[in-house]
Amino acid sequence: MTLKNILKNENENNSKYVYRVLKNNIMNLNLKPGEFISEISISKVLHLSRTPIREALIKLSDERLIDVIPQKKSMITKLDLNLIHESVFMRGTLEKQILSDVLELNNFDFLIKKLEKNLHFQKNIITSNTDLHDLFYLDNEFHKLIFESVNMGRVWKIIMLFNTHHSRLRLLEFLENKRTDLIIKQHENLINLLKNREIKPLQNFVNEHLSHYKINQKELKIKYPNYFINVQ
């Protein structure tokens, strides 16, 4: 097991630190779906006792990111298509309402400028062949900006907490270069739809944008069958 280590924050206790390191490695796919890990191996890598490691594993298990197997190694949860479907439904329902609220913003033009700046950075990553993890981060930030513009930043955090299986699938799509050009086009389209201030096209956009994972999942399941629970 190889962990991409992260510097410990000041005043961060060991349990929170281990949780943050493990979750970051899971969400960036450094720890692969279906990969086994153990308290002993984590302890050796992070030079920490097993108590905070056990606490972090329990929390990650509650978030459906780790399957804790008593007396044995724990496993990074495989991608569950049922959980992905649920999270897409929740995000889509909320995002449609958020976009409707955005159209009533007093500082609407300021939001558009921030979205266009974010999109510019996305394009730079693609043209410069930068790490696609960065593009994935900017993609999430793009939508986070929209939620925060109507004071719904905490709602976005809840979505991200519930969206971990979908997020890992999306990152896998990015790293396989399945969505990069499409993401740019979709974000350009979203900005234009916002400028036109028509809610129905925006709602249709959300449906299309979030359901696109269904197109690539079949190919990804064939290439990475051990990453998925529901492989039928």
Side-chain angles (χ1 to χ4, degrees), residues 191-218:
I191 291 173
N192 289 331
L193 290 174
L194 284 170
K195 289 178 178 178
N196 292 334
R197 295 176 179 265
E198 295 183 52
I199 187 58
K200 186 61 177 177
L202 282 168
Q203 292 177 336
N204 291 337
F205 167 85
V206 172
N207 290 334
E208 180 182 353
H209 185 64
L210 293 180
S211 65
H212 196 271
Y213 76 92
K214 296 178 181 179
I215 298 174
N216 291 323
Q217 74 176 23
K218 292 182 180 179

Side-chain angles (χ1 to χ4, degrees), residues 7-196:
L7 292 177
K8 188 176 181 182
N9 292 330
E10 188 177 355
N11 300 323
E12 183 178 38
N13 65 39
N14 288 338
S15 178
K16 289 182 178 179
Y17 173 63
V18 175
Y19 166 81
R20 192 164 58 87
V21 170
L22 290 177
K23 185 166 185 177
N24 181 274
N25 277 269
I26 293 170
M27 295 308 299
N28 68 21
L29 297 179
N30 184 52
L31 289 175
K32 307 292 190 296
E35 182 175 344
F36 286 95
I37 59 175
S38 69
E39 294 177 14
I40 295 175
S41 59
I42 298 169
S43 177
K44 288 180 179 178
V45 172
L46 298 182
H47 306 290
L48 293 171
S49 70
R50 294 173 66 177
T51 298
I53 294 169
R54 189 173 299 115
E55 292 171 350
L57 291 175
I58 291 173
K59 186 174 181 181
L60 289 166
S61 175
D62 291 340
E63 295 179 13
R64 305 289 291 273
L65 286 174
I66 285 182
D67 291 328
V68 177
I69 306 172
Q71 309 304 320
K72 296 182 180 180
K73 291 183 177 181
S74 297
M75 185 183 76
I76 309 302
T77 54
K78 296 184 179 184
L79 301 175
D80 187 326
L81 297 177
N82 292 326
L83 291 179
I84 290 170
H85 177 73
E86 288 180 5
S87 64
V88 168
F89 172 80
M90 181 184 75
R91 176 176 164 180
T93 301
L94 293 171
E95 195 154 9
K96 289 175 187 176
Q97 181 58 54
I98 295 295
L99 289 172
S100 177
D101 295 342
V102 163
L103 299 182
E104 306 300 323
L105 278 174
N106 292 326
N107 60 344
F108 178 82
D109 291 340
F110 181 62
L111 170 63
I112 295 297
K113 289 180 181 179
K114 290 198 290 186
L115 294 176
E116 289 175 335
K117 182 177 180 180
N118 177 287
L119 182 58
H120 174 73
F121 289 140
Q122 292 182 42
K123 292 178 179 178
N124 284 345
I125 287 174
I126 291 179
T127 56
S128 61
N129 294 317
T130 309
D131 187 350
L132 290 177
H133 283 86
D134 295 334
L135 179 62
F136 182 72
Y137 169 79
L138 284 172
D139 177 26
N140 281 331
E141 284 296 305
F142 184 92
H143 293 277
K144 180 181 177 182
L145 287 170
I146 294 173
F147 277 74
E148 289 180 338
S149 71
V150 290
N151 298 316
M152 290 292 174
R154 285 181 295 179
V155 173
W156 178 255
K157 288 182 180 179
I158 291 171
I159 289 174
M160 288 294 98
L161 186 64
F162 191 68
N163 201 43
T164 52
H165 283 245
H166 184 217
S167 290
R168 287 188 292 161
L169 177 62
R170 287 175 53 239
L171 177 56
L172 187 59
E173 289 179 299
F174 272 60
L175 298 180
E176 288 290 309
N177 208 21
K178 299 291 183 186
R179 299 192 65 186
T180 52
D181 291 337
L182 176 64
I183 286 297
I184 298 298
K185 291 178 181 177
Q186 287 183 330
H187 287 163
E188 287 176 335
N189 188 29
L190 178 54
I191 291 173
N192 289 331
L193 290 174
L194 284 170
K195 289 178 178 178
N196 292 334

